[in-house]
Amino acid sequence: MRNHIQEVLSAKKRFFIIIPILMIIIVLPFSFIISYYINIQKYAHLNADGYSITDTFDVEEFKEFLAEDNLYIINKLYSRFNQAWKDRYYVMTDQPVSIDKTYGDHFAYGYGTVDSEKVSSSYVNCCQMNAAAIKGSPIELESGRWFNDSEYAVNDTIPVIVGSHYKAHLKIGDKTSIRYLYKDFDCNVIGVLKEGSRTAKNEYSVLDDYLIIPALEDITGPENEDDYKFEQKLYMHHTNGYVYSDRNVLEEQELLDDLCKSVKIKPYVFTSVPSF
């Protein structure tokens, strides 16, 4: 009798040990899955892969392309990119500008990578960003404001946001002038970035020594030959952007091929797949 009672008690003990273990085995994977999908929803944009787009023109092909009446094609391709990827298409172009004043060697484009004596400190680092890139980058203002929608249009005066290291030189409300893609613009400082702000390209794309201007889009079209050449260069830069997507690169490349075919332009390709 005593042995029987001990067997029953042992069975009950095993039951109370096994059942929790089984519950853990069954429930734990589901909790990981639920947590995984919650995190996907929360961090999907931040953890998306950035697909870098580039054209495939060689030097001679590019010269020939620009020599022809192809502004409409480039402009249309840029519009197709924005329609296809919407707020997942980022323009983040590091195109230096000539500025009307010298602020110091550390602001100069190329400083630290070439002989500093050969670099003009009036030729400074500048990044052109569209609204999607600003929204999707780890970039914050210390003071001032962001660009508004109307300021992405090409005007004689454009707004500029300055990197944190410019604080001693340029303040909100200050005026300056730049030459961007061989076109002159007056600039109005509207904001100052927090130190360490960067673009979505990678962890090294810090903007402390940069001017930031909007990725300009001409609404009315070119009025003369100089405007036409400016816009050709402008939209070539804009179409060499980044796609931040949770789809795999083969799916996105197929879409990219279709978009290029739709405007009859030489195919663009994804040249790198950096992680945010």
Side-chain angles (χ1 to χ4, degrees):
M1 180 68 177
R2 182 180 293 177
N3 290 338
H4 177 70
I5 293 173
Q6 288 178 340
E7 288 177 4
V8 170
L9 290 174
S10 297
K12 285 183 177 181
K13 286 180 181 178
R14 288 197 299 271
F15 174 81
F16 285 114
I17 293 172
I18 292 171
I19 291 301
I21 292 173
L22 287 174
M23 289 180 67
I24 291 172
I25 292 172
I26 294 170
V27 173
L28 195 59
F30 283 103
S31 67
F32 279 127
I33 291 170
I34 292 169
S35 175
Y36 174 74
Y37 280 105
I38 288 173
N39 283 324
I40 282 179
Q41 295 301 315
K42 187 176 180 180
Y43 300 112
H45 190 60
L46 294 180
N47 292 336
D49 285 325
Y51 301 150
S52 177
I53 297 177
T54 186
D55 64 78
T56 57
F57 292 106
D58 61 30
V59 174
E60 292 304 317
E61 288 174 330
F62 185 63
K63 287 180 181 178
E64 291 176 10
F65 182 79
L66 292 183
E68 297 174 3
D69 187 14
N70 286 321
L71 174 59
Y72 173 74
I73 292 176
I74 312 170
N75 192 334
K76 194 172 182 179
L77 182 63
Y78 177 58
S79 296
R80 296 284 170 88
F81 285 180
N82 282 304
Q83 290 167 7
W85 289 299
K86 298 181 173 63
D87 61 351
R88 295 182 293 118
Y89 184 70
Y90 294 8
V91 175
M92 300 177 289
T93 306
D94 286 349
Q95 174 64 40
V97 298
S98 176
I99 199 164
D100 64 349
K101 190 176 178 180
T102 299
Y103 297 108
D105 284 344
H106 61 289
F107 297 111
Y109 173 72
Y111 183 72
T113 59
V114 296
D115 184 350
S116 60
E117 294 180 359
K118 298 179 181 179
V119 177
S120 169
S121 60
S122 62
Y123 199 52
V124 299
N125 294 305
C126 183
C127 185
Q128 298 80 52
M129 301 178 71
N130 66 352
I134 290 174
K135 184 178 179 181
S137 295
I139 180 172
E140 294 183 69
L141 286 178
E142 180 178 292
S143 58
R145 65 175 179 84
W146 297 112
F147 310 125
N148 61 45
D149 291 343
S150 64
E151 289 171 329
Y152 286 91
V154 174
N155 295 295
D156 291 334
T157 300
I158 59 175
V160 61
I161 297 171
V162 300
S164 64
H165 292 175
Y166 273 100
K167 284 191 294 187
H169 308 281
L170 288 170
K171 296 176 176 58
I172 294 173
D174 283 354
K175 311 291 183 183
T176 187
S177 297
I178 63 170
R179 186 166 181 80
Y180 167 48
L181 297 178
Y182 304 102
K183 185 176 177 68
D184 295 320
F185 293 95
D186 292 325
C187 296
N188 178 33
V189 179
I190 65 166
V192 179
L193 292 179
K194 282 187 178 180
E195 188 170 6
S197 290
R198 59 183 176 82
T199 68
K201 288 181 184 179
N202 56 58
E203 61 184 307
Y204 306 108
S205 57
V206 180
L207 298 170
D208 293 343
D209 297 332
Y210 275 72
L211 302 178
I212 298 86
I213 64 174
L216 300 173
E217 300 177 2
D218 192 81
I219 306 302
T220 58
E223 296 180 358
N224 52 53
E225 186 176 350
D226 288 340
D227 285 351
Y228 187 90
K229 291 178 180 178
F230 167 76
E231 289 188 37
Q232 277 189 317
K233 299 182 186 76
L234 183 72
Y235 285 111
M236 284 303 300
H237 281 304
H238 288 3
T239 55
N240 284 259
Y242 299 80
V243 176
Y244 284 80
S245 170
D246 54 5
R247 300 203 314 166
N248 70 62
V249 69
L250 296 178
E251 290 178 299
E252 294 296 6
Q253 182 65 60
E254 186 176 354
L255 174 57
L256 179 57
D257 290 341
D258 290 340
L259 294 173
C260 291
K261 287 177 184 177
S262 71
V263 298
K264 298 178 180 178
I265 195 171
K266 188 175 181 181
Y268 282 51
V269 296
F270 291 115
T271 55
S272 62
V273 189
S275 173
F276 188 101

